[in-house]
Structure formats: structure tokens, C-alpha cells
């Protein structure tokens, strides 16, 4: 019997020459590498099927030649027949089942969303687009990249599956040749990349028009011009108030500030410290509870003999615990005290040539400081650099090596070292996600084992041996172990998202999504089964937040394409589900307070959710209006609108709690106004501007009331005060700060 030729399970899409050289092929006919090397470009399909050859001519051009068999285009050329109306007998057999299911069962919602790339409700034919070049200094240029009409066109649906996430984002942002975008002085983060979408064009146009009006270029419509002028005036008034509150920050002074390190009353301190151990210590194991409470008692018994490191440790624990207490709502002075403690701890850690910081206590204070900085927005969006310093310090004292490789030490010290290393790894992962930077750690660089699954009261200085509980038993270390089990998958996501030479394919995204959701589903089952063992709603919310927010950047490039390519619809669904989970956690007063005041990773997760939901709302309204179903099926739109209203309420609450940047609530009200204008079939321009003005007036009243009640010391030394208190660099004249701190920006709590 004649032997049948072997059939590849996954047909190669690259040309034979690129496959032979093991380099990336762009799959054109001929491909770029073959053109530059003047080689013949050959595509081979399924064993002995026909081959297309293209050979260089003497004049440097290319001519087609046929192999002995008939001419057959490359795999992607066959896929391009979808765009020309020619029939395709069957879909490629190598598509994953999940993609095939999506292509077969995509809802009319996803298909309708892709029917119109430039809806006429955004910019009417008789309206001239705004002149962005007049007010270009900030990230308006970034937002433009999502709405410019001269962006490269998207490939056909099947062809689009072969694009990597980096290629899709580069096409969406109009980037070429490995270009990058800087947000002022920093690499553009994921929340800003997600926010570059043409759906937001009326909002960008309104802001730019307001700046142009202030510059002396009002629109012809006088009523609209008056609105734009009022918008700009209100924004400048709010910014002036923000500058006055920032001027008293300790970091703005040249000489060492005199920090107030006096603790609150004993009753308040006891309650705050207890809240810390009931909340944040569950996921970030930094302290051994019995040991801390002994030191805590010594802190109160002999306050004059307390060392600086113990004082800072106790104050940071009290401060972090206060973030989930209702006492913080009543006592604004406590908030000011906590900020002083955070600045003091950061100053202590930054002391030059101080070796006494390089020990376990120093690492514990560093970890507590990073958490506190993010909660109280003291440079919360800059923790990636601080985490890098933390991991270097940790490795210098050997935390990356398991204690069994070290000189003999107590069981308690060994466990504390393992817990601290696991906490640092979690901080590295979270900071890397928020900054869109590499995690700077790999599993090849440490051999520290996971902490033992034991409760704190089962181990002390006299313990010589421990018997860990099985993983099925819930202990005070279980949450950290769950996060540690999920770390390998999340680090792979980070390396594919933020690595310099990495390429995230759609298949990679589906595989990683499946891994992390399967693992997390098992963990969630374990948590629910152990609710009686002490698991609270705060624990579940924190664990869910730390894990689920990785899925939005993972699917970000593909979710943005889902409206024009239904094969990516699953990414859009995952992004929306994750966003809804983030903004609607399980009811818990403590966790709600944290989300209402915090910056850093807590703010960034809300940014992800905000951009995904608001974009989906606008796209869905436009799609249903285009296909005539807008007033027949409104349930989904109402769900999205309610989600935006919830976020608007939260952003206004943040203003009341200490937020000084008013662009978050302004943006959300503009989105709602835009959606309502599209539903009513009216022009968006006026309604969006009116909503911006009304919201700014509300925020200005809140700020004026709050600032009037603040009594902050004025700086006496301005030698180190920045030339521009709002952090702008360079004189643009208009102080255009459109940096999509629109999305729950870095708070300036006073």
C-alpha cells in the first residue's frame, strides 16, 4: 500500500524561506524579507498542494512563476477572498475551537457594532473637524491617533487572526517602526492605550474647542462658544485650587520637613491596627501578627525608647487600617497625619548610606510604604521604580534564596522571609501591569519556596518544627498562596504584554485566559467553601481585583478589533465581564472606602474598567441606532448606562474624599450626554459641552467647600519647589493637561 503523505496539523502561514531562516514573515506576496534579500518567495499549502513562486527580475522587480502545478494563492490571500465576495469552501482547519465557535455564533450585537466605523453621529458632514494642532501639547495627540481617518486599514477577518497584539495596537495608534508614545515623561500605560478610540472623538473635540476658545479662536456658534469659555474657566479655577493644596506637600520643601509622628489615641490606634490585619495582611503577608502585637505593646509602654523603625512600622499599620474605617470619614485630621507618616517612611527609606535599612524590618517598612503610597496617592503611580529598588534590597539580603540554603535560623524567621518574598513578587506583578513595564524578575532568578500553609498563632520564636496544613485547609496564609499559584500565568501575561521583543498572538491570549480563569475558578470554589473559617467579603473582593484586572490588558488589542472583526468577540466579552466585576464588587463598606480614596493599582484597575465600559456604551448605542433596534431592545444599553452612572457617583465621591482632578467625573458625564444625544438623534456637540459645564460647576463647589475647611501649613522654603506645581514640563501657554487622568486620576489628598 502506498504511504499517504503526512499532513500538518497546523498549516504554516509563513513562506518557506522565512520558515527555513526561522524569522518572522509578514505573509505578503512576496514577503518583506524575500524582497530585501531578493530571494524567491514560496508558499506551500498542505503537503503536496500547489505552490506560488515569485522570483526577482534583473531590474529588481518581481515576477510570478508557477510551479508545475496550478497557481494557488498563499493562505492569507485565500482569506482575503472574504473581502472580495469570492466563495470560500471551508474555514481553515487550524482555527481553535473557541475561535470557530465565536465566528459561528457571534451575536448580532458584535456584528452590528462593526457595521459602521465612522458613525455620522460623531462628526456631521457640515461640521469642520477641530484644529488639534493649535492645542497639541498633551496627550490630545494620543487620543487623535484613535480617531484619525488616515490610520492603516484593518485586514480581513481571517487575516486579522494572524496579527499580534503589538501589531494591532501599532495600527490603531498609527505607529510605525517600533515607535513608542510618551505620556509626558513616561511610557504610555495600558489604561491610556485602551482609551484611544474613535468613539470618544466628540469628547476630545469639546476639550480642544474649549482650549481654542481660551486662546481666542471661538466657534461661530456664540452659545456654544460661551459654553466652551465657561468650561475652560472652571477647569482653571479647579486647577488653581489643586495647586494650592499641593504646595504644602513635604516633598515640595528643600530642607528636611518636620514630620508629625505622633500616633492617634490608643483606642483609635488599636481599632485601625486590627482592621489592617483583618484586611490587607490577608493578601500581602508582611508581618507576623503575634510578633507585631508584642512590639505594638512595647511602643505604647515605652514611647520615648522606641526606635524609628518600630515607630514607622506601627504608624504605617495604623494608617493603612484607617483607610477602611468610617473614622477616617469623620476625622479629616487623621488623613493629614497618615500622609505625613507615609512621607516620613519614604524619607527614612531613602536615607543615603544607611545600612540599618537593609534588614527584614527595613523590607517590611518598604512593603508597608508602597501599599500606603497607593492607598493615599502619595506617588502611587510611580511605585514601579520603588518596587524595583525593593526587589534589589530583598535580593541583597538573600530573600530570593530559600532559607534552607542559608546559615541556621529559626523557623519563624524562615517563614517570615518566604512570606515577604511572595509579597514582593505580587507587588512586582501589579506594578508592572500598571506601568506597562517589564516585571524585572523571572523564576530563574530565585529558588525561595512558597510559605507554609499555617496560621500565625501556630508559630513563634520557640518553634523548632512545623506541620503545614494541606492546601484544602484555610489559614491566614491561604490568600497569599492562591496569588502565588496564579503568579506564573500572570508573569507570562506581563512578559507578552510588556516585553520588548514579545509578540502576543490571539491564540496566546486565549490560552492564557483559559489558564488563569480555570485556576481562579478553583480558587473561588475553595474560598466559598471556607467562608466560615474567616473569609470576608473584603478578602474575596481584594483577591478578585488583584487577579481579574490582568484580563483587560491581555485582551485589549483584540477587544478593540471586535467591532470590525467578529472573530475577536470573545476578547470583548471577557473585557466587559472583567470591567463589570471590577466596578461592582461584592458589597463591603471597607473595600468601597478603599476604592473611593485610593490611587496606584486601585485607580488603574478602575481606569481599565471605565474605558472598556464607556467605549462599549457609545459603540452599542451607535450600532443599535444604525440597525434600527435602538428603541426595541434597550436592556443592555440601560445596564451599561447604569454602570457609567455608578462610576460617575464614585468619581464625585472621590472629589469629596480629597481628589483634586475633576476630569474623571467630567468625562463620565460627557459620555452619558453623548450616548443620550445619539439615542435622541440630535447633535452631540452642544449636549456634551453642557454636561461638561454642569459637572465642572458641581465639582468646583465641592472643591471650594473642602479647600475652605483645610488648614495646611504653607511651605517656608521654596528652593526645591517645582517651577510648575502641576508637574507640566515646558511652557505651552495653554497648560493643556489632557492626559487621560480623565480616568480617576492620581488623587491629591489633603
Amino acid at each position: 500500500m502506498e504511504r499517504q503523505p503526512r499532513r500538518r496539523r497546523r498549516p504554516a502561514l509563513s513562506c518557506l524561506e522565512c520558515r527555513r531562516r526561522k524569522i518572522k514573515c509578514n505573509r505578503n506576496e512576496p514577503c518583506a524579507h524575500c524582497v530585501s534579500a531578493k530571494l524567491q518567495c514560496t508558499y506551500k499549502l498542505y503537503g503536496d498542494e500547489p505552490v506560488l513562486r515569485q522570483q526577482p527580475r534583473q531590474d529588481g522587480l518581481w515576477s510570478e512563476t508557477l510551479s508545475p502545478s496550478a497557481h494557488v494563492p498563499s493562505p492569507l490571500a485565500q482569506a482575503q477572498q472574504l473581502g472580495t465576495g469570492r466563495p470560500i469552501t471551508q474555514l481553515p482547519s487550524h482555527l481553535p475551537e473557541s475561535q470557530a465557535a465565536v465566528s459561528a455564533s457571534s451575536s448580532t450585537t458584535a456584528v452590528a457594532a462593526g457595521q459602521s466605523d465612522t458613525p455620522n453621529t460623531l462628526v456631521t458632514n457640515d461640521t469642520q473637524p477641530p484644529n488639534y494642532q493649535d492645542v497639541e501639547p498633551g496627550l490630545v495627540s494620543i487620543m487623535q491617533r484613535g480617531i484619525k481617518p488616515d490610520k492603516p486599514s484593518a485586514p480581513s477577518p481571517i487575516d486579522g487572526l494572524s496579527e499580534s497584539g503589538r501589531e494591532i495596537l501599532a495600527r490603531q495608534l498609527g505607529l510605525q517602526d517600533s515607535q513608542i508614545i510618551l505620556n509626558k515623561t513616561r511610557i504610555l500605560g495600558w489604561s491610556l492605550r485602551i482609551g484611544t478610540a474613535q468613539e470618544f472623538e466628540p469628547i476630545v473635540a469639546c476639550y480642544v474647542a474649549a482650549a481654542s476658545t481660551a486662546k481666542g479662536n471661538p466657534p461661530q456658534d456664540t452659545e456654544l462658544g460661551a459654553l466652551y469659555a465657561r468650561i475652560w474657566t472652571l477647569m482653571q479655577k479647579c486647577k488653581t485650587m489643586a495647586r494650592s493644596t499641593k504646595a504644602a506637600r513635604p516633598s515640595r520643601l528643600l530642607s528636611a520637613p518636620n514630620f508629625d509622628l505622633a500616633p492617634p489615641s490608643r483606642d483609635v490606634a488599636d481599632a485601625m491596627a486590627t482592621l489592617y490585619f483583618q484586611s490587607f495582611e490577608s493578601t500581602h503577608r508582611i508581618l507576623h501578627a503575634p510578633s507585631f502585637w508584642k512590639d505594638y505593646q512595647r511602643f505604647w509602654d515605652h514611647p520615648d525608647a522606641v526606635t524609628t523603625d518600630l515607630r514607622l512600622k506601627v504608624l504605617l499599620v495604623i494608617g493603612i487600617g484607617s483607610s477602611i474605617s468610617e473614622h477616617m470619614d469623620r476625622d479629616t485630621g487623621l488623613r493629614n497625619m497618615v500622609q505625613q507618616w507615609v512621607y516620613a517612611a519614604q524619607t527614612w527609606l531613602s536615607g543615603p548610606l544607611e545600612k540599618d535599612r537593609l534588614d527584614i524590618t527595613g523590607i517590611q517598612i518598604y512593603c508597608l510604604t508602597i501599599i500606603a503610597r497607593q492607598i493615599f496617592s502619595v506617588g502611587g503611580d510611580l511605585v514601579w521604580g520603588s518596587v524595583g529598588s525593593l526587589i534589589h534590597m530583598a535580593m541583597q539580603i538573600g530573600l530570593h534564596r530559600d532559607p534552607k540554603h542559608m546559615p541556621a535560623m529559626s523557623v519563624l524567621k524562615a517563614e517570615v522571609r518566604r512570606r515577604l518574598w511572595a509579597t514582593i513578587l505580587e507587588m512586582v506583578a501589579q506594578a508592572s501591569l500598571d506601568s506597562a513595564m517589564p516585571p524585572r524578575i523571572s523564576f530563574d532568578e530565585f529558588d525561595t519556596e512558597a510559605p507554609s500553609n499555617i496560621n500565625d498563632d501556630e508559630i513563634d520564636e520557640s518553634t523548632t518544627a512545623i506541620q503545614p496544613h494541606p492546601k484544602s485547609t484555610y489559614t491566614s496564609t491561604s490568600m497569599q498562596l492562591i496569588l502565588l499559584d496564579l503568579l506564573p500565568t500572570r508573569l507570562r501575561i506581563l512578559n507578552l504584554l510588556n516585553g520588548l521583543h514579545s509578540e502576543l498572538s490571539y491564540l496566546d491570549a486565549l490560552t492564557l485566559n483559559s489558564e488563569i480563569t480555570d485556576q481562579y475558578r478553583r480558587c473561588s470554589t475553595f474560598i466559598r467553601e471556607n467562608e466560615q473559617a474567616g473569609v470576608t467579603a473584603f478578602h474575596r473582593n481584594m483577591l478578585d481585583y488583584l487577579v481579574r484586572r490582568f484580563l483587560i490588558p491581555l485582551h485589549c488589542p483584540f477587544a478593540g478589533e471586535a467591532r470590525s472583526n467578529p472573530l475577536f468577540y470573545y476578547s470583548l466579552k471577557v473585557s466587559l465581564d472583567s470591567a463589570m466585576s471590577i466596578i461592582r464588587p461584592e458589597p463591603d463598606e471597607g473595600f468601597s472606602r478603599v476604592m473611593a480614596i485610593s490611587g496606584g493599582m486601585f485607580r488603574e484597575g478602575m481606569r481599565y474598567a471605565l474605558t472598556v465600559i464607556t467605549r462599549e456604551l457609545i459603540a452599542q448605542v451607535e450600532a443599535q441606532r444604525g440597525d434600527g433596534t435602538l428603541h426595541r431592545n434597550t436592556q443592555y444599553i440601560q445596564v451599561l448606562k447604569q454602570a457609567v452612572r455608578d462610576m460617575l457617583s464614585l468619581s464625585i465621591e472621590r472629589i469629596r474624599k480629597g481628589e483634586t482632578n475633576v476630569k474623571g467625573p467630567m468625562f463620565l458625564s460627557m459620555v452619558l450626554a453623548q450616548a443620550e444625544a445619539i439615542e435622541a438623534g440630535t447633535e452631540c456637540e452642544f449636549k456634551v459641552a453642557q454636561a461638561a459645564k454642569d459637572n465642572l460647576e458641581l465639582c468646583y463647589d465641592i472643591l471650594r467647600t473642602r479647600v475652605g475647611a483645610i488648614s495646611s501649613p504653607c511651605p517656608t522654603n521654596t528652593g526645591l519647589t517645582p517651577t510648575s506645581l502641576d508637574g507640566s514640563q515646558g511652557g505651552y501657554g495653554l497648560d493643556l493637561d489632557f492626559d487621560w487622568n480623565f480616568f480617576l486620576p492620581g488623587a491629591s489628598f489633603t
Side-chain angles (χ1 to χ4, degrees), residues 617-676:
L617 172 61
I618 300 301
Q620 189 66 27
V621 171
E622 289 171 347
Q624 288 195 314
R625 182 173 180 269
D627 60 22
T629 62
L630 184 59
H631 301 293
R632 282 182 275 171
N633 183 14
T634 62
Q635 292 182 347
Y636 182 48
I637 291 178
Q638 293 305 318
V639 169
L640 294 173
K641 289 173 73 173
Q642 186 57 49
V644 176
R645 292 189 188 101
D646 292 343
M647 290 186 288
L648 176 58
S649 299
L650 176 61
S651 62
I652 292 175
E653 182 65 16
R654 289 175 66 90
I655 298 291
R656 292 193 175 97
K657 297 291 187 183
E659 175 72 76
T660 58
N661 195 315
V662 299
K663 294 173 187 173
M666 183 181 77
F667 168 76
L668 290 166
S669 19
M670 294 166 81
V671 167
L672 284 173
Q674 181 182 344
E676 291 169 358

Side-chain angles (χ1 to χ4, degrees), residues 377 603 607 654 659 661-664 741-747:
S377 295
R603 178 203 61 198
R607 280 184 172 184
R654 289 175 66 90
E659 175 72 76
N661 195 315
V662 299
K663 294 173 187 173
N741 281 333
F742 248 26
F743 307 135
L744 298 178

Side-chain angles (χ1 to χ4, degrees), residues 82 130 170 207 256 273 593 597 635:
L82 289 174
Y207 187 91
R593 287 193 180 92
I597 70 170
Q635 292 182 347

Side-chain angles (χ1 to χ4, degrees), residues 433-470:
L433 179 68
D434 293 335
S435 61
M437 300 300 291
R440 316 307 297 170
I441 192 68
S442 72
F443 284 91
D444 296 331
E445 296 172 338
F446 66 90
D447 60 7
T448 306
E449 297 178 358
S452 300
N453 190 34
I454 56 174
N455 292 301
D456 281 14
D457 57 6
E458 296 174 333
I459 184 173
D460 56 29
E461 284 288 357
S462 62
T463 303
T464 57
I466 56 175
Q467 184 63 41
H469 299 282

Side-chain angles (χ1 to χ4, degrees), residues 518-677:
D518 288 347
Q519 288 177 290
Y520 186 65
R521 190 177 294 113
R522 292 192 293 269
C523 296
S524 297
T525 302
F526 167 74
I527 294 298
R528 287 194 302 271
E529 291 173 350
N530 288 273
E531 188 170 354
Q532 301 301 320
V535 181
T536 66
F538 186 97
H539 297 155
R540 291 189 291 269
N541 286 335
M542 181 63 75
L543 182 64
D544 188 77
Y545 183 82
L546 293 176
V547 174
R548 196 178 295 277
R549 70 195 200 97
F550 279 77
L551 296 176
I552 297 180
L554 174 64
H555 287 279
C556 162
F558 312 106
E561 294 289 289
R563 295 169 179 85
S564 58
N565 187 347
L567 297 180
F568 290 128
Y569 176 69
Y570 182 72
S571 286
L572 178 60
K573 181 182 183 302
V574 171
S575 298
L576 283 168
D577 290 346
S578 301
M580 285 294 188
S581 296
I582 287 174
I583 69 167
R584 290 178 175 172
E586 185 177 344
D588 179 77
E589 291 186 5
F591 192 78
S592 298
R593 287 193 180 92
V594 170
M595 301 307 293
I597 70 170
S598 297
M601 65 179 179
F602 302 101
R603 178 203 61 198
E604 283 299 309
M606 292 299 296
R607 280 184 172 184
Y608 299 157
L610 187 150
T611 48
V612 169
I613 294 172
T614 52
R615 184 179 182 184
E616 173 67 7
L617 172 61
I618 300 301
Q620 189 66 27
V621 171
E622 289 171 347
Q624 288 195 314
R625 182 173 180 269
D627 60 22
T629 62
L630 184 59
H631 301 293
R632 282 182 275 171
N633 183 14
T634 62
Q635 292 182 347
Y636 182 48
I637 291 178
Q638 293 305 318
V639 169
L640 294 173
K641 289 173 73 173
Q642 186 57 49
V644 176
R645 292 189 188 101
D646 292 343
M647 290 186 288
L648 176 58
S649 299
L650 176 61
S651 62
I652 292 175
E653 182 65 16
R654 289 175 66 90
I655 298 291
R656 292 193 175 97
K657 297 291 187 183
E659 175 72 76
T660 58
N661 195 315
V662 299
K663 294 173 187 173
M666 183 181 77
F667 168 76
L668 290 166
S669 19
M670 294 166 81
V671 167
L672 284 173
Q674 181 182 344
E676 291 169 358

Side-chain angles (χ1 to χ4, degrees), residues 133-279:
Q133 299 302 322
D134 291 341
V135 286
E136 179 63 22
L139 278 187
V140 170
S141 58
I142 297 175
M143 304 309 300
Q144 280 182 260
R145 294 179 182 275
I147 60 180
K148 280 184 177 178
D150 56 348
K151 293 188 301 179
S153 58
S156 62
I158 298 296
D159 196 353
L161 292 177
S162 64
E163 278 193 302
S164 68
R166 190 185 300 273
E167 292 169 339
I168 292 175
L169 282 175
R171 172 164 52 77
Q172 291 173 345
L173 296 174
L175 302 178
Q176 297 177 351
D177 301 326
S178 301
Q179 289 177 319
I180 63 171
I181 298 176
L182 293 179
N183 174 16
K184 294 183 178 177
T185 60
R186 285 172 282 171
I187 295 290
L188 190 69
W190 279 104
S191 59
L192 297 179
R193 300 182 196 186
I194 299 171
T196 54
Q198 68 175 14
E199 285 83 0
F200 301 134
E201 180 178 1
I203 297 172
V204 179
C206 176
Y207 187 91
V208 174
S212 298
T213 301
K215 193 178 179 182
N217 299 315
Q220 294 181 354
D221 188 331
T222 56
E223 186 178 4
L224 199 57
L227 271 179
Y228 290 151
R230 181 60 176 163
I231 289 171
W232 192 258
T233 300
L234 287 168
M235 292 188 67
Q236 298 312 304
K237 286 183 177 180
C238 293
K239 186 170 291 188
T240 299
M241 290 186 178
R243 289 170 177 168
S244 66
T245 59
K246 294 175 184 178
R249 290 178 177 177
S251 61
R252 307 265 170 163
L253 307 182
L254 177 60
S255 57
N258 295 320
F259 296 111
D260 181 7
L261 300 184
S265 66
R266 179 66 187 268
D267 292 342
V268 172
D270 290 351
M272 302 301 106
T274 301
L275 284 174
Y276 166 80
F277 279 96
Q278 292 174 350
S279 55

